[in-house]
Amino acid sequence: MTSSSPGRHTRTTSRRTRSASTVAASGVLAAAGVLAFSPTAPAAPSASSTVQAAGTLGAAAAQSGRYFGTAVAEHYGEADYEGTLNREFSSVVAENAMKWDATEPNRNQFNFSGGDRLVNYAQQRGKYIRGHALVWHAQQPGWVQGLTGDNLRQAMRNHISKVAGHYAGKIDSWDVVNEAFEWDGSRRQSNLQKQLGDGWIEDAFRTAKTADPKAKLCYNDYGTDAINAKSDGIYRMVKDFRARGVPIDCVGFQSHLSQNENLSTYRQNLQRFADLGVHVQITELDVGGSGAAQANVYRQVAQACLAVARCNGITVWGVTDKYSWRARETPLLFNGNYQKKEAYGAVLAALNSAAG
Ligand code: G2I
């Protein structure tokens, strides 16, 4: 799967003249192994120039070689949850199961049960897989929190090596480092930063590269949805990493938004990162609000990604409002009864129009 994931797709399948041949192209891409996943079958090629729009998010995104994913929590047993997940989404990421506290509750004792379950589930269904997150200041198990100096450095390296090593070849994109910057563009003063100094992020990326040479390695953060001081700071780091050959392949923009969001520089921000030669991905999209205002923000985010050639996928942070970490803000595409919201229609239409 990894060797042929979206983002490695060739741009020769240009987006997209609305013809039978190009709609068929996602099937061709899949057959050629260019698309990693087998998204819900694309609309059957038609002899005419009018082509049926794709009916699910995953299939609609696949028309331009992208994935459309969701965070997954432990609700597999619920028929509507699984049904919606399977039907609509061509990519998954564990909402919590691959975090440090879940995977290494005691030093060098690993628990891959939740992550393995999701990886198996996704592989059986041909879905793209994001890994989240190898190193983060939050959700660290207690034993990590008090470590100092080289002891912490060895613990971080061992964690990355064992977790990325365990999943090597199965994860398409890893969030290697999550949320390491402050609003002013400086480094967050986490235990990692204080104990290890500025070099810890590149250390993490180099360690991940050795453990899983094929995965796309991402830096992931929130509040980076505009050109602002925080995204400027991350931009400088990524530029420096690219110049010095530190193995970074992608930048994740979480995009935890509200319906009043000002998105005037959103696309431009994605583009400047893409111009550094990395892929960009929308990694945790949710939009607090409802109705047309919420739908409008979702539409703009989808359109921005579609407008940036190196934006290879969008992930929403959950299937249904019912289980969202922001449930009271009803931020997702399906309501608590798994009904499609206005925002769903807006995203689907945006994805379909990009195929035309
Ligand atoms: O906070 C929203 C997201 C911001 N970016 C990084 C993401 O990893 C983060 O996800 C959230 C999950 O959606 C929550 O589900 O991260 C939280 C903290 O890790 C998650 O919350 C945790 C609760 O804090 C725990 O008490 C709970 O045991 O979820 C756990 C599992 O339900």
Side-chain angles (χ1 to χ4, degrees):
M1 156 164 293
T2 297
S3 61
S4 57
S5 43
R8 297 184 180 97
H9 60 95
T10 55
R11 286 287 150 197
T12 52
T13 56
S14 64
R15 301 198 303 286
R16 202 109 250 238
T17 49
R18 201 169 185 75
S19 70
S21 63
T22 51
V23 166
S26 59
V28 172
L29 283 168
V34 175
L35 276 182
F37 53 86
S38 318
T40 311
S46 130
S48 81
S49 61
T50 47
V51 165
Q52 215 182 335
T56 67
L57 299 168
Q63 295 170 110
S64 64
R66 294 178 169 83
Y67 66 81
F68 199 98
T70 180
V72 176
E74 314 280 317
H75 307 292
Y76 299 105
E78 196 175 314
D80 283 343
Y81 186 91
E82 273 202 45
T84 308
L85 169 60
N86 296 343
R87 185 185 74 238
E88 295 287 343
F89 297 100
S90 55
S91 172
V92 296
V93 59
E95 186 165 348
N96 290 300
M98 290 195 195
K99 292 173 180 175
W100 200 337
D101 61 347
T103 52
E104 195 183 2
N106 299 298
R107 190 164 191 166
N108 208 29
Q109 290 181 1
F110 291 86
N111 179 352
F112 295 118
S113 56
D116 284 356
R117 185 170 183 190
L118 180 60
V119 167
N120 291 336
Y121 188 94
Q123 284 188 325
Q124 284 163 12
R125 292 162 178 81
K127 297 183 191 297
Y128 187 89
I129 306 176
R130 300 198 79 258
H132 173 83
L134 292 171
V135 193
W136 187 20
H137 66 278
Q139 299 293 104
Q140 291 180 0
W143 65 267
V144 173
Q145 294 169 24
L147 298 182
T148 56
D150 208 47
N151 200 9
L152 178 60
R153 188 185 319 280
Q154 294 312 327
M156 180 187 83
R157 287 180 180 163
N158 186 55
H159 180 74
I160 295 170
S161 299
K162 296 286 173 58
V163 177
H166 176 79
Y167 290 112
K170 299 178 177 173
I171 302 292
D172 294 287
S173 302
W174 258 118
D175 291 336
V176 177
V177 171
N178 194 42
E179 302 177 3
F181 280 75
E182 301 281 3
W183 289 108
D184 67 0
S186 66
R187 293 291 186 89
R188 180 190 290 276
Q189 292 303 306
S190 65
N191 58 336
L192 296 148
Q193 181 69 28
K194 287 186 197 156
Q195 292 296 324
L196 309 181
D198 278 347
W200 75 269
I201 297 184
E202 73 179 87
D203 191 353
F205 276 86
R206 291 188 198 281
T207 307
K209 183 71 179 176
T210 302
D212 185 354
K214 288 186 177 169
K216 296 282 189 195
L217 304 180
C218 306
Y219 176 81
N220 189 52
D221 215 327
Y222 64 88
T224 52
D225 313 299
I227 294 181
N228 58 29
K230 185 170 183 176
S231 61
D232 282 351
I234 296 163
Y235 178 85
R236 286 190 292 270
M237 178 188 75
V238 176
K239 189 174 185 188
D240 170 57
F241 280 13
R242 299 291 294 177
R244 292 191 296 110
V246 178
I248 185 167
D249 305 298
C250 39
V251 177
F253 298 82
Q254 294 185 11
S255 301
H256 293 294
L257 304 174
S258 83
Q259 65 179 19
N260 302 317
E261 209 72 33
N262 176 354
L263 295 175
S264 58
T265 60
Y266 191 94
R267 184 199 56 73
Q268 203 185 334
N269 189 44
L270 295 182
Q271 187 65 57
R272 69 171 172 157
F273 279 89
D275 289 344
L276 295 175
V278 291
H279 282 99
V280 294
Q281 305 180 348
I282 314 305
T283 51
E284 303 184 15
L285 178 61
D286 54 13
V287 181
S290 62
Q294 179 182 52
N296 194 36
V297 171
Y298 266 106
R299 177 186 303 107
Q300 289 178 67
V301 170
Q303 287 173 339
C305 179
L306 292 162
V308 174
R310 285 179 180 275
C311 183
N312 65 313
I314 299 173
T315 299
V316 291
W317 203 239
V319 174
T320 160
D321 284 341
K322 178 163 62 164
Y323 298 128
S324 167
W325 72 296
R326 303 169 72 187
R328 278 173 300 180
E329 298 174 85
T330 62
L332 294 171
L333 298 174
F334 293 87
N335 72 13
N337 296 318
Y338 296 93
Q339 286 165 335
K340 296 169 182 170
K341 294 163 60 176
E342 189 168 344
Y344 173 96
V347 171
L348 186 66
L351 296 172
N352 273 319
S353 67

mmCIF file of all heavy atoms in Angstrom, residues 287-308:
data_model
loop_
_atom_site.group_PDB
_atom_site.id
_atom_site.type_symbol
_atom_site.label_atom_id
_atom_site.label_comp_id
_atom_site.label_asym_id
_atom_site.label_seq_id
_atom_site.Cartn_x
_atom_site.Cartn_y
_atom_site.Cartn_z
ATOM 1 N N VAL A 287 -15.599 21.627 11.947
ATOM 2 C CA VAL A 287 -16.028 23.020 11.878
ATOM 3 C C VAL A 287 -17.219 23.206 12.808
ATOM 4 O O VAL A 287 -18.326 22.737 12.519
ATOM 5 C CB VAL A 287 -16.439 23.409 10.432
ATOM 6 C CG1 VAL A 287 -16.858 24.876 10.387
ATOM 7 C CG2 VAL A 287 -15.310 23.136 9.445
ATOM 8 N N GLY A 288 -16.994 23.872 13.921
ATOM 9 C CA GLY A 288 -18.089 24.115 14.844
ATOM 10 C C GLY A 288 -19.151 24.993 14.192
ATOM 11 O O GLY A 288 -18.817 26.007 13.568
ATOM 12 N N GLY A 289 -20.419 24.608 14.315
ATOM 13 C CA GLY A 289 -21.485 25.414 13.715
ATOM 14 C C GLY A 289 -22.581 24.544 13.151
ATOM 15 O O GLY A 289 -22.747 23.391 13.549
ATOM 16 N N SER A 290 -23.308 25.093 12.187
ATOM 17 C CA SER A 290 -24.416 24.342 11.596
ATOM 18 C C SER A 290 -24.804 24.973 10.268
ATOM 19 O O SER A 290 -24.370 26.096 9.949
ATOM 20 C CB SER A 290 -25.623 24.339 12.548
ATOM 21 O OG SER A 290 -26.053 25.673 12.735
ATOM 22 N N GLY A 291 -25.616 24.256 9.543
ATOM 23 C CA GLY A 291 -26.269 24.791 8.351
ATOM 24 C C GLY A 291 -25.327 25.362 7.310
ATOM 25 O O GLY A 291 -24.211 24.863 7.094
ATOM 26 N N ALA A 292 -25.796 26.434 6.656
ATOM 27 C CA ALA A 292 -25.080 26.982 5.505
ATOM 28 C C ALA A 292 -23.723 27.559 5.888
ATOM 29 O O ALA A 292 -22.756 27.463 5.127
ATOM 30 C CB ALA A 292 -25.936 28.054 4.838
ATOM 31 N N ALA A 293 -23.628 28.179 7.061
ATOM 32 C CA ALA A 293 -22.355 28.790 7.455
ATOM 33 C C ALA A 293 -21.289 27.715 7.641
ATOM 34 O O ALA A 293 -20.152 27.844 7.179
ATOM 35 C CB ALA A 293 -22.538 29.593 8.742
ATOM 36 N N GLN A 294 -21.674 26.643 8.303
ATOM 37 C CA GLN A 294 -20.738 25.526 8.485
ATOM 38 C C GLN A 294 -20.374 24.908 7.130
ATOM 39 O O GLN A 294 -19.206 24.634 6.844
ATOM 40 C CB GLN A 294 -21.398 24.474 9.374
ATOM 41 C CG GLN A 294 -20.538 23.254 9.629
ATOM 42 C CD GLN A 294 -21.272 22.227 10.472
ATOM 43 O OE1 GLN A 294 -22.393 21.832 10.148
ATOM 44 N NE2 GLN A 294 -20.667 21.822 11.580
ATOM 45 N N ALA A 295 -21.382 24.714 6.304
ATOM 46 C CA ALA A 295 -21.152 24.113 4.988
ATOM 47 C C ALA A 295 -20.192 24.967 4.162
ATOM 48 O O ALA A 295 -19.328 24.451 3.443
ATOM 49 C CB ALA A 295 -22.484 23.946 4.252
ATOM 50 N N ASN A 296 -20.338 26.267 4.292
ATOM 51 C CA ASN A 296 -19.499 27.170 3.517
ATOM 52 C C ASN A 296 -18.021 27.052 3.891
ATOM 53 O O ASN A 296 -17.141 27.082 3.034
ATOM 54 C CB ASN A 296 -19.994 28.606 3.732
ATOM 55 C CG ASN A 296 -19.421 29.549 2.723
ATOM 56 O OD1 ASN A 296 -19.238 29.190 1.555
ATOM 57 N ND2 ASN A 296 -19.097 30.756 3.179
ATOM 58 N N VAL A 297 -17.747 26.891 5.180
ATOM 59 C CA VAL A 297 -16.353 26.721 5.603
ATOM 60 C C VAL A 297 -15.809 25.390 5.089
ATOM 61 O O VAL A 297 -14.695 25.314 4.558
ATOM 62 C CB VAL A 297 -16.224 26.842 7.135
ATOM 63 C CG1 VAL A 297 -14.829 26.454 7.601
ATOM 64 C CG2 VAL A 297 -16.551 28.273 7.568
ATOM 65 N N TYR A 298 -16.589 24.344 5.236
ATOM 66 C CA TYR A 298 -16.165 23.045 4.696
ATOM 67 C C TYR A 298 -15.871 23.145 3.190
ATOM 68 O O TYR A 298 -14.889 22.594 2.690
ATOM 69 C CB TYR A 298 -17.242 21.988 4.933
ATOM 70 C CG TYR A 298 -17.054 21.165 6.187
ATOM 71 C CD1 TYR A 298 -17.844 21.362 7.311
ATOM 72 C CD2 TYR A 298 -16.086 20.165 6.244
ATOM 73 C CE1 TYR A 298 -17.678 20.589 8.461
ATOM 74 C CE2 TYR A 298 -15.908 19.388 7.373
ATOM 75 C CZ TYR A 298 -16.703 19.605 8.479
ATOM 76 O OH TYR A 298 -16.534 18.832 9.608
ATOM 77 N N ARG A 299 -16.754 23.819 2.478
ATOM 78 C CA ARG A 299 -16.572 23.947 1.021
ATOM 79 C C ARG A 299 -15.254 24.654 0.700
ATOM 80 O O ARG A 299 -14.476 24.198 -0.148
ATOM 81 C CB ARG A 299 -17.737 24.733 0.413
ATOM 82 C CG ARG A 299 -17.580 24.974 -1.102
ATOM 83 C CD ARG A 299 -18.663 25.885 -1.674
ATOM 84 N NE ARG A 299 -19.991 25.380 -1.430
ATOM 85 C CZ ARG A 299 -20.868 25.872 -0.552
ATOM 86 N NH1 ARG A 299 -20.549 26.938 0.173
ATOM 87 N NH2 ARG A 299 -22.051 25.331 -0.396
ATOM 88 N N GLN A 300 -14.995 25.721 1.422
ATOM 89 C CA GLN A 300 -13.767 26.485 1.152
ATOM 90 C C GLN A 300 -12.513 25.660 1.441
ATOM 91 O O GLN A 300 -11.516 25.756 0.726
ATOM 92 C CB GLN A 300 -13.746 27.751 2.007
ATOM 93 C CG GLN A 300 -14.756 28.806 1.581
ATOM 94 C CD GLN A 300 -14.689 30.005 2.511
ATOM 95 O OE1 GLN A 300 -13.707 30.725 2.544
ATOM 96 N NE2 GLN A 300 -15.739 30.198 3.298
ATOM 97 N N VAL A 301 -12.566 24.867 2.498
ATOM 98 C CA VAL A 301 -11.404 24.032 2.814
ATOM 99 C C VAL A 301 -11.195 22.996 1.706
ATOM 100 O O VAL A 301 -10.073 22.803 1.218
ATOM 101 C CB VAL A 301 -11.576 23.343 4.181
ATOM 102 C CG1 VAL A 301 -10.490 22.297 4.406
ATOM 103 C CG2 VAL A 301 -11.562 24.390 5.299
ATOM 104 N N ALA A 302 -12.279 22.357 1.290
ATOM 105 C CA ALA A 302 -12.149 21.352 0.228
ATOM 106 C C ALA A 302 -11.627 22.004 -1.052
ATOM 107 O O ALA A 302 -10.715 21.482 -1.710
ATOM 108 C CB ALA A 302 -13.497 20.679 -0.023
ATOM 109 N N GLN A 303 -12.162 23.153 -1.394
ATOM 110 C CA GLN A 303 -11.726 23.838 -2.620
ATOM 111 C C GLN A 303 -10.263 24.238 -2.538
ATOM 112 O O GLN A 303 -9.525 24.163 -3.518
ATOM 113 C CB GLN A 303 -12.604 25.063 -2.887
ATOM 114 C CG GLN A 303 -14.003 24.688 -3.369
ATOM 115 C CD GLN A 303 -14.946 25.872 -3.478
ATOM 116 O OE1 GLN A 303 -14.728 26.919 -2.849
ATOM 117 N NE2 GLN A 303 -16.012 25.716 -4.258
ATOM 118 N N ALA A 304 -9.834 24.657 -1.356
ATOM 119 C CA ALA A 304 -8.427 25.058 -1.199
ATOM 120 C C ALA A 304 -7.505 23.866 -1.417
ATOM 121 O O ALA A 304 -6.499 23.960 -2.123
ATOM 122 C CB ALA A 304 -8.210 25.659 0.188
ATOM 123 N N CYS A 305 -7.845 22.745 -0.830
ATOM 124 C CA CYS A 305 -7.014 21.555 -1.024
ATOM 125 C C CYS A 305 -6.992 21.168 -2.503
ATOM 126 O O CYS A 305 -5.938 20.886 -3.064
ATOM 127 C CB CYS A 305 -7.517 20.401 -0.156
ATOM 128 S SG CYS A 305 -6.555 18.868 -0.368
ATOM 129 N N LEU A 306 -8.155 21.196 -3.129
ATOM 130 C CA LEU A 306 -8.234 20.806 -4.540
ATOM 131 C C LEU A 306 -7.439 21.742 -5.443
ATOM 132 O O LEU A 306 -6.971 21.349 -6.510
ATOM 133 C CB LEU A 306 -9.706 20.784 -4.979
ATOM 134 C CG LEU A 306 -10.531 19.670 -4.330
ATOM 135 C CD1 LEU A 306 -12.021 19.964 -4.460
ATOM 136 C CD2 LEU A 306 -10.202 18.320 -4.952
ATOM 137 N N ALA A 307 -7.262 22.976 -4.987
ATOM 138 C CA ALA A 307 -6.539 23.962 -5.799
ATOM 139 C C ALA A 307 -5.026 23.835 -5.656
ATOM 140 O O ALA A 307 -4.280 24.488 -6.383
ATOM 141 C CB ALA A 307 -6.978 25.373 -5.401
ATOM 142 N N VAL A 308 -4.582 23.034 -4.716
ATOM 143 C CA VAL A 308 -3.142 22.884 -4.473
ATOM 144 C C VAL A 308 -2.738 21.468 -4.896
ATOM 145 O O VAL A 308 -3.181 20.479 -4.301
ATOM 146 C CB VAL A 308 -2.812 23.134 -2.980
ATOM 147 C CG1 VAL A 308 -1.349 22.850 -2.683
ATOM 148 C CG2 VAL A 308 -3.169 24.573 -2.603
#
